[in-house]
Amino acid sequence: MEHDYRNIISHIDIDRSLGAIEYSSFNGIGEESILEFKDDMEAGNDSIELHLIKSKAYKEALVLRLKKSNGEYSSTWRDFLHEEQKTFGGSKIFYISNDCSKLIVLSLPNEMKTKINMLVTRLNKINDKITRINAKIKKENLDLYASRARSKETDKKKDDIVNFINQNLRV
């Protein structure tokens, strides 16, 4: 079996255009505009957080759209996001949409900035992890190129092109 080069994982980024951000009051878990987050809200959450949601104690909702969330990365991103979405107490700071294209942050009145700060800190931590993984992928790709260069059964032109991209494209 022939090994192939691995693709770099895109960093998680938030669409900063005003149209991509939805800021509204939170009116409960049954609200149609948040149904795509309901599964994540109900799954693996601690009882206190679940009570805050179901009793409508949260008053503000912020929906953020992720940039470049396509099928190839969404499962990887989902895994990273799930790892970082909980506090030490088990409450979730944010919730992930079913297709991993959006995040929602719920907050008590006047607490949204604190929650956004926690979200951004967690996203930075995930992106640092992705940077380390990408460095490892680049090294593996270089090693694969070197081993394939010694083999007679490779498409040399394609290998050279991929190697050039791996070494020079900053993503």
Side-chain angles (χ1 to χ4, degrees):
M1 183 178 110
E2 186 177 318
H3 293 295
D4 202 356
Y5 297 100
R6 289 179 56 199
N7 287 314
I8 298 297
I9 301 168
S10 296
H11 286 90
I12 297 176
D13 195 6
I14 293 171
D15 187 335
R16 291 162 174 83
S17 60
L18 293 178
I21 297 170
E22 300 168 37
Y23 190 82
S24 63
S25 56
F26 178 69
N27 298 313
I29 198 164
E31 196 175 344
E32 190 170 325
S33 63
I34 65 150
L35 287 178
E36 63 188 312
F37 302 98
K38 187 176 178 183
D39 291 344
D40 193 37
M41 287 178 182
E42 294 180 332
N45 216 342
D46 77 339
S47 59
I48 296 169
E49 180 72 8
L50 217 44
H51 176 73
L52 289 170
I53 293 169
K54 290 184 175 180
S55 69
K56 300 179 186 176
Y58 286 128
K59 299 298 182 200
E60 299 175 6
L62 175 67
V63 176
L64 301 167
R65 190 178 319 146
L66 299 177
K67 287 176 62 180
K68 295 190 288 188
S69 177
N70 59 30
E72 185 177 349
Y73 300 119
S74 65
S75 66
T76 304
W77 282 6
R78 181 180 303 281
D79 292 344
F80 289 147
L81 288 165
H82 274 301
E83 285 176 29
E84 294 297 333
Q85 79 183 131
K86 288 188 175 188
T87 64
F88 291 117
S91 298
K92 292 183 180 181
I93 298 167
F94 59 88
Y95 300 95
I96 308 162
S97 65
N98 294 332
D99 65 358
C100 200
S101 65
K102 297 177 186 173
L103 304 176
I104 189 170
V105 178
L106 303 176
S107 80
L108 299 170
N110 305 314
E111 292 294 325
M112 185 57 77
K113 191 167 184 175
T114 303
K115 283 272 192 105
I116 294 170
N117 185 42
M118 289 191 289
L119 168 68
V120 169
T121 299
R122 300 299 176 97
L123 292 180
N124 284 336
K125 187 174 176 184
I126 292 168
N127 284 335
D128 288 345
K129 180 186 264 185
I130 289 173
T131 298
R132 289 189 302 276
I133 291 169
N134 285 343
K136 184 178 175 190
I137 289 171
K138 285 180 181 181
K139 183 185 180 321
E140 289 171 0
N141 283 346
L142 286 172
D143 292 347
L144 180 59
Y145 175 74
S147 71
R148 289 173 66 116
R150 293 187 294 272
S151 170
K152 303 284 187 235
E153 301 171 22
T154 64
D155 187 338
K156 184 80 170 116
K157 286 199 182 298
K158 283 185 179 180
D159 276 333
D160 288 344
I161 291 167
V162 170
N163 186 56
F164 180 83
I165 292 168
N166 281 336
Q167 288 187 348
N168 296 293
L169 181 64
R170 289 186 293 273
V171 290

